[in-house]
Amino acid sequence: MLIDNHGRKLNYMRLAVTDRCNLRCFYCMPEDGLNWLSRTELMSYEEMLRASSLLVKMGIEKIRITGGEPFVRKDIMKLLTSLSQLNGLKELSITTNGILTSPHVAEMKALGIRSVNLSLDTLDADRFFAITRRDEFADVMNTLNELLKHDFEVKINAVVMDGKNIQDIIPMVELTKDLPISVRFIEEMPFNGDNDSYQGVIWDHVRILKEITSHYPQIKKLVDPAYSTAYNYQIPGHKGSVGIIAAYSRTFCGTCNRIRITPQGTLKNCLYDDGVLNIKDLMRSGLSDEELERNLKNAFNHRVADGWEAERLRVEKTGVHESMATIGG
Ligand code: SAM
Ligand code: SF4
């Protein structure tokens, strides 16, 4: 079992497999995209497997594949297949924008993947275009239908943005009436790949909940699963549930069980830190698994208490503004 210096169990890893994406969500990256990593800067699948296998031996039980958009990386199903066979891994899941996902749904199910987080901020095609700068709404809805047809546990991630999708909050809650999905509203964070454009969190978790309760005064709080980053609720009679993630307010750090590996192999102990170790560089310098494990353990013994401390201690003092696509969310 992996325990950090604050006594928190670490059993969840988010592995970002690429920084590239086929959307340009304005809260995540500039319209022109990013300076994409070159092939050699990216971790190879072999390196990802080696690191994952070691971390699973050390105590990681759940891996979520993210990006950038995982399905734009060539042969992603090969990586998923290998990861699904890792001894000791209890859960493999994926976060996707759903554009290229639907043809792979049946195969994902066959690999034993049970849960998919689908990012969708609006139920309106025009607003989808305004937010993502791409006209691909129909493909995302198609993926949602495929996932439901194959009985996946589906969580919809919706970033709440002033002036962009506030009118979608209630219709998205309404989706939970007939669909057994969890719709999770996420506070917008500063990770948009741009120094200046983040306005601060205008819709925080308190305001989002107020908006929902004003339409559904009968809403009930659910017991949150262990390590949940979401506050979970249900409208009585609805099949699905609603979650609110205080991603900017950082109310969940006390039970943080997660680590992150970025597409270039940087280990992040916190979403808000700027990286504590580069696993890819260590592997390429010829370190043995034992030496790698020592380095990893040392990093886990120096985790910060919370995201506020992580932000304060960043080496890069210009503030948090990297693209979420370079982290994985
Ligand atoms: N491309 C995939 C997708 O969109 O699902 C996976 C990567 S994306 C970076 C992972 C999650 O981060 C998405 O649910 C996205 O909505 C969320 N995200 C990206 N930028 C964000 C921001 N500035 N604030 C809050 N959430 C953000
Ligand atoms: Fe791409 Fe996901 Fe970022 Fe949107 S949030 S630009 S889909 S990586």
Side-chain angles (χ1 to χ4, degrees):
M1 208 199 271
L2 266 181
I3 305 284
D4 77 2
N5 47 315
H6 299 277
R8 296 172 296 201
K9 183 176 172 184
L10 301 179
N11 60 357
Y12 175 24
M13 171 167 97
R14 298 178 66 97
L15 177 60
V17 296
T18 179
D19 58 338
R20 292 179 194 238
C21 191
N22 43 6
L23 295 184
R24 294 285 182 277
C25 305
F26 84 92
Y27 51 75
C28 180
M29 63 172 75
E31 189 154 13
D32 295 342
L34 306 170
N35 286 326
W36 309 118
L37 294 168
S38 66
R39 207 186 164 82
T40 47
E41 287 170 304
L42 275 179
M43 278 184 113
S44 68
Y45 284 162
E46 290 71 25
E47 288 164 340
M48 287 180 193
L49 265 178
R50 180 177 166 200
S52 302
S53 163
L54 180 62
L55 281 154
V56 167
K57 275 195 203 109
M58 291 171 70
I60 293 297
E61 297 172 317
K62 171 177 171 184
I63 297 178
R64 175 172 294 281
I65 300 302
T66 173
E69 172 50 35
F71 287 95
V72 302
R73 183 139 180 195
K74 196 165 168 251
D75 292 333
I76 185 67
M77 291 309 294
K78 283 191 184 157
L79 177 73
L80 293 181
T81 304
S82 309
L83 288 173
S84 72
Q85 291 160 357
L86 277 185
N87 246 340
L89 184 66
K90 294 191 181 149
E91 194 181 332
L92 179 63
S93 55
I94 190 154
T95 297
T96 173
N97 63 25
I99 308 294
L100 300 171
T101 318
S102 59
H104 304 288
V105 165
E107 195 182 345
M108 281 157 55
K109 184 83 185 182
L111 290 180
I113 298 175
R114 291 190 306 270
S115 144
V116 172
N117 288 6
L118 183 65
S119 299
L120 176 66
D121 306 311
T122 174
L123 297 177
D124 176 86
D126 292 336
R127 283 197 291 279
F128 182 92
F129 181 75
I131 292 167
T132 67
R133 300 158 171 145
R134 296 287 185 273
D135 193 10
E136 317 266 15
F137 177 70
D139 291 325
V140 186
M141 294 311 282
N142 188 27
T143 290
L144 174 59
N145 288 333
E146 265 316 282
L147 290 167
L148 292 171
K149 217 162 71 194
H150 286 82
D151 286 328
F152 274 86
E153 182 196 320
V154 178
K155 291 182 184 148
I156 293 196
N157 286 348
V159 179
V160 180
M161 298 156 281
D162 199 49
K164 301 276 188 196
N165 65 347
I166 301 310
Q167 60 274 63
D168 285 290
I169 295 178
I170 299 307
M172 291 186 82
V173 172
E174 202 58 28
L175 275 185
T176 67
K177 185 166 185 223
D178 295 319
L179 299 179
I181 58 178
S182 169
V183 174
R184 294 137 32 107
F185 297 102
I186 307 176
E187 290 178 353
E188 185 183 349
M189 294 180 271
F191 300 95
N192 62 10
D194 179 338
N195 243 330
D196 307 314
S197 61
Y198 181 63
Q199 306 273 305
V201 67
I202 301 173
W203 281 79
D204 69 0
H205 62 111
V206 178
R207 190 170 176 194
I208 298 170
L209 180 61
K210 213 162 146 197
E211 171 75 8
I212 299 173
T213 44
S214 70
H215 284 77
Y216 298 101
Q218 74 277 35
I219 193 168
K220 290 261 176 323
K221 180 80 187 71
L222 298 175
V223 177
D224 298 323
Y227 312 116
S228 174
T229 51
Y231 298 115
N232 295 284
Y233 300 86
Q234 192 166 39
I235 318 294
H238 283 206
K239 288 191 178 143
S241 62
V242 173
I244 301 176
I245 303 184
Y248 181 80
S249 303
R250 290 163 250 189
T251 54
F252 41 67
C253 302
T255 55
C256 178
N257 66 337
R258 57 190 63 196
I259 59 169
R260 293 175 164 81
I261 298 183
T262 72
Q264 51 191 326
T266 302
L267 171 74
K268 281 168 76 83
N269 265 332
C270 172
L271 183 55
Y272 287 86
D273 73 29
D274 47 4
V276 294
L277 194 74
N278 191 294
I279 298 181
K280 176 196 70 193
D281 293 347
L282 290 180
M283 288 192 285
R284 289 186 189 173
S285 73
L287 252 61
S288 67
D289 276 4
E290 291 69 31
E291 289 165 321
L292 255 185
E293 185 170 341
R294 259 201 305 280
N295 279 273
L296 288 165
K297 276 197 175 137
N298 182 47
F300 300 147
N301 274 324
H302 292 88
R303 288 183 90 227
V304 291
D306 57 34
W308 300 104
E309 188 182 346
E311 197 174 341
R312 235 178 8 254
L313 293 177
R314 284 169 72 96
V315 179
E316 180 73 62
K317 289 295 177 204
T318 51
V320 172
H321 54 74
E322 63 264 41
S323 164
M324 192 67 99
T326 65
I327 305 172

